[in-house]
Amino acid sequence: MRKIQIIVSFLFVTVFAFQVNAQNSPIPAGTDLGQIHGNFDLGAQYYRDDTLIGAPDVPEQVLFNGFLNLNYTKGNFRAGIRYESYQNALLGYSPEYIGNGIPYRYAGYKLGNFDFTAGNFYEQFGNGFPLRSYFEPTLGVDNSFDGFRVKYNNKGVGIKMLIGTQRNYFTQSEGIVRGADLNVQLNDLLDNLKDNPTKIQFGGSVVSKYQPDNSPDLVLPENVMILDGRFKVSRKGMYVYSEYAYKYNDPSADNRYIFRNGQSLEAGLGYSKRGFGINVTAHTLINMSYRSDRDNSSQFTEEYINFIPSLTKPHSYLLMATLYPYATQLQNEMAFQVDAVYKFKRKSLLGGKYGTTLFVNFSFANDVDTTNLNDMETTRLGYSADLFKPGDTKLWHDFNMKIVHKFSKLFQLKFTYQNLFYNIDILQGKPGESDILANVFIAEGKFKFDRKNTLRVEAQTLFTDQHDGDWAAFVAEYTVSPHWSFSLLDQYNYGNKSAEKRIHYFTAAVGYTQKANKIMLSYGRQREGLFCVGGICRVVPASNGVKLTLSSTF
């Protein structure tokens, strides 16, 4: 690995040198030396003591996360590296992120219908049920593969094959992952279907992992496979799709080393036309955690080969997004979601002069009916399950609606309501805590004074008799285009039964943007909670201090 890093680094230095000295070099003007592009991102925080909010002690006082991506392309050739630095990692990230290194480097090229990659890469089969690797620095997630990948695409037929190990911070997973995927766009493959308004696609995947059996007590399968099949049919504004995955027995720390097979089935349909759209999706699954290291049961998202997205609406408002978010329960879940949008016409009674848009969403999650087999000394199947029968434990529901109305060219108002059920015992691992029933009301106004100056204001409140009681939040953001932004934020737990916990979490921030460069400086308190992106969450500890973020793309 060290040799590959040196070779790739030498390549970049060489290309830079060529570009910088191009005018004085014997290389003729206009010679194509290729292109270099990338992005730079850093976050640093100075932590202050704050016993009132329970902020942990930070001996270093200053923590830092940063990375630089460099990508080089010339014709059909490409190569890249990512340098990362954690000195030490910001609170809420795994302490395994420590030090500096180049954990991501690759080279590849296209030749005809083939595409080859050696080194690190990200990949997804289907909707991710059998395999998905991705990089999400805000969550501290990077499960990239390190190995080889070949792709083939021709006339609607796509084939992928890969082999590699997964990144685990600055090391690699013990397990080896092998996979193949086929995807067919039938209308592109068959000439007589090219102009048919009914579009058909289908596909399938097979993924296998290998890990030596190192258990002194059990005879564990060293090769564990997932099979996956899927289809989608669409016609004009309608579509229907389904995907099914079957995982062979995979004893692991996540399922207490039982030998039960895993299954997941998802189906969805949707319809849209001008001013209206609706999507309905449902899935049921059992025992679908699939990691490249069977002994890893970390709270952090480490070494997951597959990914099953949650059937919930991703919220952006503070009280809806961070207090009680939901993530897919990979061991046992039955869920569905209905998402609709309707736009009232302009100059109608509800549409007004500029139109009104109504968004309605409902999601629900339950467990799957299971029966304990009490066989941990014999077959170790753990339980029997009926994949299509809901169990007795409700996990979550979220009914929310938002109305957006533009009163004039300068003023827009949004009103949001949410009714929430949250099983905090299971979803946050807090035994004995009562289920949370909450109602959230949010009003957001946007005032555009002129072409440069805009003020956006949010007022939020959450009512509940459980957990920490009622909350309120206020956000004000003033933007002077195209460079400056100023914001004030306060969250207040005014309904907490404990008077000393009725705390203000106040933050002030200023940001400056120049082209693709953005820098932001903020000071304030961070409430303990969860931060989620796409149904993947990480715990955010309480903190108090000054934070600097900087990002740049070139």
Side-chain angles (χ1 to χ4, degrees):
M1 178 183 295
R2 181 71 176 170
K3 289 182 178 178
I4 296 176
Q5 291 177 357
I6 293 172
I7 292 170
V8 174
S9 301
F10 176 76
L11 171 66
F12 276 94
V13 171
T14 302
V15 172
F16 270 126
F18 272 142
Q19 292 197 328
V20 170
N21 297 294
Q23 291 183 340
N24 299 322
S25 74
I27 299 175
T31 301
D32 181 13
L33 297 176
Q35 295 182 329
I36 292 179
H37 55 91
N39 65 300
F40 174 91
D41 190 288
L42 70 82
Q45 183 164 351
Y46 167 70
Y47 293 89
R48 298 184 63 215
D49 295 335
D50 194 335
T51 55
L52 190 61
I53 62 173
D57 179 48
V58 179
E60 304 94 326
Q61 294 188 320
V62 176
L63 299 177
F64 173 90
N65 291 6
F67 67 85
L68 170 68
N69 276 312
L70 282 177
N71 296 290
Y72 171 74
T73 59
K74 185 178 187 305
N76 291 327
F77 176 79
R78 64 186 185 278
I81 59 172
R82 181 168 63 243
Y83 175 80
E84 297 183 14
S85 179
Y86 305 90
Q87 306 189 54
N88 287 326
L90 295 167
L91 289 182
Y93 289 82
S94 170
E96 296 291 326
Y97 279 121
I98 185 167
N100 312 304
I102 302 177
Y104 187 85
R105 72 282 182 276
Y106 71 93
Y109 67 95
K110 292 183 178 179
L111 184 63
N113 297 320
F114 288 89
D115 185 305
F116 303 90
T117 303
N120 296 101
F121 55 87
Y122 300 100
E123 189 51 81
Q124 176 171 329
F125 292 172
N127 288 318
F129 289 13
L131 181 143
R132 184 196 181 203
S133 61
Y134 60 106
F135 176 55
E136 180 48 73
T138 59
L139 292 175
V141 176
D142 186 353
N143 61 344
S144 63
F145 291 103
D146 187 3
F148 283 88
R149 178 184 62 185
V150 179
K151 292 182 177 181
Y152 172 83
N153 281 287
N154 187 28
K155 288 195 66 175
V157 177
I159 299 173
K160 305 172 187 174
M161 294 184 291
L162 63 85
I163 185 168
T165 57
Q166 284 188 292
R167 178 185 178 186
N168 189 26
Y169 305 109
F170 285 107
T171 64
Q172 293 298 120
S173 65
E174 182 178 331
I176 301 172
V177 180
R178 299 72 57 97
D181 179 77
L182 169 68
N183 196 60
V184 178
Q185 306 275 354
L186 202 60
N187 298 75
D188 294 334
L189 179 63
L190 303 178
D191 292 338
N192 59 338
L193 290 180
K194 280 190 182 301
D195 299 323
N196 195 306
T198 300
K199 308 296 182 186
I200 302 171
Q201 59 178 291
F202 59 88
S205 309
V206 56
V207 177
S208 173
K209 67 170 181 177
Y210 168 78
Q211 185 178 10
D213 176 8
N214 52 8
S215 171
D217 304 314
L218 301 171
V219 179
L220 301 174
E222 295 187 323
N223 293 280
V224 176
M225 183 166 62
I226 277 189
L227 299 175
D228 177 272
R230 56 194 179 270
F231 78 91
K232 182 178 182 181
V233 179
S234 60
R235 183 180 175 86
K236 297 182 179 177
M238 297 184 64
Y239 75 87
V240 59
Y241 83 93
S242 185
E243 180 166 1
Y244 174 74
Y246 184 90
K247 184 187 72 165
Y248 287 85
N249 72 89
D250 179 24
S252 68
D254 284 333
N255 63 17
R256 298 176 56 217
Y257 294 95
I258 64 173
F259 287 71
R260 166 161 296 285
N261 298 324
Q263 295 181 78
S264 65
L265 174 64
E266 181 168 297
L269 56 89
Y271 172 73
S272 65
K273 66 174 186 179
R274 185 181 178 87
F276 174 72
I278 185 169
N279 296 289
V280 181
T281 312
H283 71 210
T284 179
L285 63 92
I286 198 84
N287 193 26
M288 282 301 289
S289 172
Y290 190 44
R291 303 199 201 210
S292 52
D293 183 353
R294 69 168 75 89
D295 299 317
N296 192 339
S297 61
S298 170
Q299 62 165 317
F300 297 103
T301 308
E302 300 170 351
E303 300 178 293
Y304 277 102
I305 301 171
N306 66 337
F307 173 80
I308 298 179
S310 63
L311 298 184
T312 60
K313 183 171 184 174
H315 296 297
S316 58
Y317 293 115
L318 274 172
L319 297 184
M320 296 173 70
T322 61
L323 277 175
Y324 306 114
Y326 186 80
T328 303
Q329 303 301 295
L330 288 174
Q331 292 303 318
N332 185 332
E333 182 186 274
M334 180 179 290
F336 73 87
Q337 178 177 218
V338 180
D339 195 43
V341 58
Y342 182 78
K343 191 167 187 177
F344 296 93
K345 293 181 179 179
R346 294 182 179 185
K347 299 182 181 178
S348 64
L349 179 62
L350 296 177
K353 184 177 180 180
Y354 295 94
T356 300
T357 306
L358 172 66
F359 301 87
V360 180
N361 174 271
F362 180 67
S363 58
F364 180 94
N366 210 86
D367 69 342
V368 173
D369 184 49
T370 60
T371 302
N372 192 356
L373 295 178
N374 194 25
D375 63 346
M376 297 302 280
E377 301 299 325
T378 55
T379 57
R380 295 187 69 90
L381 292 178
Y383 52 84
S384 62
D386 185 342
L387 197 62
F388 300 102
K389 183 179 179 181
D392 297 327
T393 304
K394 180 178 177 180
L395 301 173
W396 155 278
H397 87 229
D398 174 10
F399 170 78
N400 59 86
M401 57 183 293
K402 179 164 71 176
I403 299 173
V404 180
H405 184 77
K406 191 173 182 179
F407 288 87
S408 69
K409 291 183 179 179
L410 304 178
F411 177 54
Q412 183 186 70
L413 185 64
K414 299 178 182 178
F415 176 77
T416 301
Y417 167 72
Q418 179 190 38
N419 179 267
L420 178 72
F421 172 91
Y422 191 84
N423 189 327
I424 195 171
D425 178 352
I426 294 177
L427 300 179
Q428 290 192 13
K430 296 182 177 179
E433 290 267 8
S434 300
D435 296 335
I436 294 169
L437 299 169
N439 290 287
V440 182
F441 298 88
I442 298 171
E444 176 187 351
K446 187 175 181 180
F447 308 85
K448 195 169 184 178
F449 299 108
D450 52 41
R451 296 182 62 181
K452 287 190 173 183
N453 296 276
T454 303
L455 174 65
R456 190 178 66 84
V457 178
E458 295 176 15
Q460 311 178 25
T461 184
L462 180 148
F463 300 110
T464 181
D465 294 329
Q466 295 84 35
H467 199 220
D468 290 335
D470 300 338
W471 285 82
F474 176 80
V475 178
E477 183 179 84
Y478 189 80
T479 305
V480 184
S481 299
H483 297 303
W484 292 97
S485 66
F486 307 88
S487 63
L488 297 173
L489 180 157
D490 186 29
Q491 298 175 78
Y492 180 40
N493 189 192
Y494 69 94
N496 200 304
K497 294 176 183 176
S498 175
E500 61 269 21
K501 292 184 178 179
R502 295 170 190 164
I503 302 169
H504 284 275
Y505 294 85
F506 183 81
T507 299
V510 56
Y512 180 78
T513 302
Q514 183 187 47
K515 297 184 177 179
N517 308 307
K518 184 174 183 180
I519 185 169
M520 177 168 286
L521 184 67
S522 63
Y523 171 73
R525 279 174 166 163
Q526 169 66 54
R527 171 178 51 78
E528 180 183 14
L530 294 172
F531 175 72
C532 301
V533 176
I536 303 296
C537 303
R538 71 173 173 90
V539 176
V540 179
S543 66
N544 183 335
V546 180
K547 188 172 184 179
L548 173 70
T549 60
L550 194 156
S551 63
S552 177
T553 302
F554 59 93

